[in-house]
Amino acid sequence: MGYSCAKCHDQNMLEGVRVVDRTLEECWLSAASDLKVEVETNPTARIFKGVVGFSLKANVCGTCGYTELFVTEPMELGRAYSRSVQSAG
């Protein structure tokens, strides 16, 4: 708990909370996986676009509920994004 909420300024922050995506949400047997952002490193390809996914985590204010999402591997995401832009360019 090293910082305060950007909205209410309280220091009751819950850091690194898992953000999940559930398939078949209605079913109690649904599979949970981390919510991700994806980059296609070769977006102009017809197939084999080189999709790379990066998990998201959340910092949540325990007082007002304000939530910030962040990527767990930002430098790897940046490298993949750079490859994507170069490939599309």
Side-chain angles (χ1 to χ4, degrees):
M1 299 204 174
Y3 64 98
S4 59
C5 174
K7 185 175 179 185
C8 75
H9 308 291
D10 198 342
Q11 291 193 335
N12 185 20
M13 294 299 293
L14 314 173
E15 298 179 37
V17 177
R18 185 175 180 210
V19 183
V20 298
D21 179 32
R22 293 202 180 268
T23 55
L24 302 172
E25 195 169 317
E26 312 302 325
C27 179
W28 65 275
L29 291 174
S30 63
S33 60
D34 288 348
L35 192 62
K36 297 178 189 271
V37 294
E38 291 184 341
V39 173
E40 294 176 346
T41 59
N42 191 11
T44 58
R46 291 184 156 236
I47 57 173
F48 305 119
K49 292 184 176 279
V51 176
V52 184
F54 300 90
S55 294
L56 290 172
K57 294 285 184 182
N59 292 335
V60 181
C61 178
T63 302
C64 74
Y66 178 77
T67 302
E68 303 170 328
L69 295 177
F70 64 94
V71 175
T72 57
E73 298 174 301
M75 295 192 69
E76 290 296 321
L77 172 61
R79 284 192 276 276
Y81 183 79
S82 292
R83 288 192 308 270
S84 175
V85 170
Q86 289 172 353
S87 176

